């Protein structure tokens, strides 16, 4: 005896429509998968900041893996990352971003590595009305006078670096000479350092180009300015890219010869090899894999060791943070990549990262975040000087000004 199925009148038209669509080579709208979400990841994969860029890329992809539980999809939409090399050149970065938004139809972009490249890219995001998450470029002007509403930044700013280092270094009687890159990163960083230095005295600013190989003349000018100053004397270094000045500073043995100490922030592990010669040095840093205690960092450290047989580095954490911001926002919008929807979602949004929770400030879209006061220990088990935590400098303690003019 045949059983009459009441669902057949409903199912037959659907099956017939599906068969017809398949015969025609296409699925109807109700049967199609949601389109991919395309993300441009622009970084300086060649040039002096190559190591930073490669870490950012690794961190970003690991962050997507963690945030999506390994599916690399949000709300049924696959995440597709298009990596592009800006070579550290502003014009190249600007053109790559325009091509990504205009020709490749990416939904949003992340990057770049260098502040000068980022500043060239900001107007492109505004022109195309598409989100650019800046990571890890640092210059204050990115979320300051050059900012526009399409820009969000997970990376720390020059002011965050400066405020954190001031918390460690700004003491009465301290005398400081600065050494920094002669570019937006270096000059914005020193400008912010001067603003946050209230008790110590800055007596000299030295700027040298990225890629400098001979630091002798610049360091001699610093020594000449500091050696006869009363008080505790420091050379404060804000440097990005290879080569770094730290080996030369160590070779000059400035503390023994002139009583001049080194003060600097964190850096990538290869640069921190020279820190072994500055045991007891204090400063503030963005990230070191052994400092934050949270589930995200535990996952990153364990999985990075498994994949690469070494710990995650400074900019690995930054790339990971950018990925966490992307996925957190997309989950909240259920995969909707409309720019206005994303802006409304991301303003004030908090998200977890390897260094702890970050929150995008509504006024300038800068990610407010904790920093870490450290002291260097020379541990023979590590090739680099180990930054041991003195204290967590909470985000709200840093009191970062809102610098945009809008």
């Amino acid at each position: 005896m045949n059983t009459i199925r009441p669902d057949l009148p409903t199912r037959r038209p659907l099956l017939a429509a599906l068969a017809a669509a398949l015969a025609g080579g296409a699925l109807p709208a109700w049967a199609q998968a949601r389109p991919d979400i395309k993300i441009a990841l622009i970084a300086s994969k060649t040039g002096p900041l190559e190591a930073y860029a490669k870490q950012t890329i690794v961190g970003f992809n690991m962050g997507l893996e963690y945030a999506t539980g390994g599916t690399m999809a949000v709300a049924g939409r696959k995440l597709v990352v298009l990596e592009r090399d800006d070579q550290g050149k502003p014009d190249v970065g600007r053109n790559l971003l325009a091509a990504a938004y205009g020709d490749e139809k990416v939904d949003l972009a992340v990057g770049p590595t260098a502040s000068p490249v980022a500043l060239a890219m900001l107007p492109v995001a505004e022109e195309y009305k598409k989100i650019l998450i800046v990571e890890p470029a640092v210059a204050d002007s990115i979320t300051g006078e050059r900012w526009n509403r399409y820009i969000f930044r997970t990376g720390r700013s020059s002011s965050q670096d400066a405020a954190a280092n001031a918390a460690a270094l700004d003491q009465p009687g301290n005398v400081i000479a600065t050494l920094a890159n002669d570019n937006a990163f270096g000059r914005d960083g020193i400008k912010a350092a001067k603003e946050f230095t209230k008790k110590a005295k800055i007596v000299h600013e030295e700027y040298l180009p990225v890629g400098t190989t001979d630091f002798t003349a610049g360091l001699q000018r610093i020594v000449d300015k500091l050696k006869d100053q009363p008080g505790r004397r420091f050379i404060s270094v804000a440097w990005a890219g290879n080569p770094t000045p730290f080996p030369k500073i160590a070779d000059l043995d400035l503390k023994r010869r002139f009583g001049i100490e080194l003060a600097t922030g964190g850096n990538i592990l290869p640069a921190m090899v020279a820190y072994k010669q500055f045991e007891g040095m204090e400063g503030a840093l963005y990230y070191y894999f052994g400092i934050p205690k949270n589930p995200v960092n535990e996952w990153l450290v364990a999985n990075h060791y498994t994949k690469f047989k070494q710990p995650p580095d400074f900019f690995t954490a930054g790339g990971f943070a950018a990925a966490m911001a992307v996925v957190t926002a997309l989950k909240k919008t259920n995969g909707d990549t409309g720019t206005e929807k994303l802006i409304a979602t991301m303003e004030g949004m908090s998200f977890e990262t390897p260094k702890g929770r970050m929150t995008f400030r509504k006024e300038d879209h800068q990610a407010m975040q904790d920093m870490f006061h450290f002291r260097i220990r020379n541990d023979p088990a590590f090739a680099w000087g180990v930054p041991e935590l003195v204290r967590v400098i909470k985000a709200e303690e840093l009191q970062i000004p809102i610098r945009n003019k809008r």
Side-chain angles (χ1 to χ4, degrees):
M1 178 177 177
N2 293 330
T3 302
I4 299 174
R5 294 181 55 185
D7 62 326
L8 283 179
T10 301
R11 287 160 52 93
R12 282 173 179 161
L14 291 174
L15 293 174
L18 180 59
L22 289 172
L27 287 173
W30 50 263
Q32 290 178 7
R34 298 186 73 184
D36 295 344
I37 296 173
K38 297 169 69 175
I39 305 166
L41 179 56
I42 301 174
S44 300
K45 295 168 68 174
T46 52
L49 304 183
E50 174 184 351
Y52 301 0
K54 289 181 176 178
Q55 290 177 19
T56 301
I57 292 167
V58 167
F60 187 75
N61 284 290
M62 291 187 73
L64 294 181
E65 178 186 356
Y66 176 85
T68 63
T71 66
M72 301 301 281
V74 176
R77 300 185 66 182
K78 182 180 177 183
L79 303 179
V80 177
V81 180
L82 308 179
E83 293 180 17
R84 300 292 181 262
D85 179 14
D86 62 45
Q87 305 169 45
K89 299 174 180 178
D91 58 335
V92 175
R94 181 179 59 247
N95 293 337
L96 285 173
L97 186 60
Y101 288 146
D103 300 333
E104 297 175 293
K105 306 300 181 186
V106 302
D107 295 284
L108 68 155
V110 176
T113 315
S115 292
V117 180
L119 293 173
M121 290 167 60
L122 303 186
V124 179
E126 187 170 34
E127 177 185 352
Y128 283 89
K129 295 180 170 53
K130 290 283 189 177
I131 298 293
L132 170 62
I133 297 178
V134 175
E135 175 64 51
V138 178
D140 269 343
S141 48
I142 294 167
T143 45
E145 62 268 22
R146 305 281 290 275
W147 175 83
N148 64 70
R149 64 191 296 269
Y150 303 97
I151 307 304
F152 288 79
R153 174 158 57 184
T154 51
R156 87 282 186 203
S157 67
S158 292
S159 284
Q160 287 170 314
D161 270 350
N165 277 284
L169 186 62
D170 186 25
Q171 300 297 327
N174 287 355
V175 182
I176 303 167
T178 62
L179 172 61
N181 302 105
D182 190 8
N183 61 12
F185 161 75
R187 291 188 176 272
D188 274 17
I190 300 309
K191 179 181 177 182
K194 291 165 66 178
E195 177 182 349
F196 286 98
T197 301
K198 307 295 186 183
K199 303 169 187 174
K201 181 171 66 171
I202 296 177
V203 297
H204 180 69
E205 300 171 34
E206 187 72 32
Y207 299 98
L208 297 174
V210 175
T212 294
T213 57
D214 187 353
F215 294 92
T216 306
L219 289 172
Q220 186 60 54
R221 287 189 289 271
I222 288 172
V223 169
D224 289 344
K225 290 290 184 179
L226 282 179
K227 64 181 181 180
D228 297 323
Q229 292 281 343
R232 194 174 175 188
R233 289 160 283 184
F234 292 90
I235 171 174
S236 179
V237 180
W239 194 265
N242 285 315
T244 75
F246 302 117
K248 183 63 176 179
I249 293 170
D251 289 345
L252 291 174
D253 200 6
L254 297 179
K255 187 171 183 179
R256 182 186 64 82
R257 294 171 62 201
F258 304 106
I260 298 173
E261 303 176 59
L262 175 65
T264 190
N267 213 310
I268 61 173
L269 297 178
M272 291 172 63
V273 170
Y275 287 18
K276 288 179 74 75
Q277 300 176 67
F278 302 101
E279 187 162 20
M281 178 184 74
E282 294 189 29
L285 52 71
Y286 167 83
Y287 174 82
Y288 175 72
F289 73 93
I291 289 180
K293 307 300 181 185
N294 62 69
V296 182
N297 193 51
E298 290 170 5
W299 186 95
L300 171 59
V301 173
N303 283 272
H304 200 280
Y305 265 114
T306 299
K307 290 183 178 183
F308 303 104
K309 313 307 178 188
Q310 60 186 11
D313 213 335
F314 202 81
F315 295 99
T316 319
F320 200 109
M324 293 295 287
V326 168
V327 175
T328 300
L330 291 173
K331 285 181 176 179
K332 288 180 177 293
T333 66
N334 193 34
D336 186 340
T337 55
T339 298
E340 293 304 319
K341 183 77 168 180
L342 286 172
I343 290 175
T345 299
M346 294 170 70
E347 287 185 340
M349 184 185 80
S350 295
F351 51 100
E352 302 303 324
T353 80
K355 61 178 292 186
R357 175 165 290 194
M358 295 185 187
T359 300
F360 284 127
R361 187 162 59 180
K362 185 174 182 178
E363 293 83 357
D364 61 1
H365 302 173
Q366 172 63 52
M368 309 311 290
Q369 54 197 276
D370 296 344
M371 302 287 276
F372 307 102
H373 179 177
F374 69 87
R375 182 181 297 114
I376 290 296
R377 177 169 60 89
N378 187 344
D379 186 335
F382 294 90
W384 52 85
V386 176
E388 293 191 320
L389 180 66
V390 175
R391 71 182 184 96
V392 176
I393 307 170
K394 303 299 290 182
E396 55 270 23
E397 178 185 342
L398 295 174
Q399 296 293 304
I400 305 302
I402 297 168
R403 301 186 184 280
N404 68 63
K405 307 299 183 183
R406 301 186 182 218

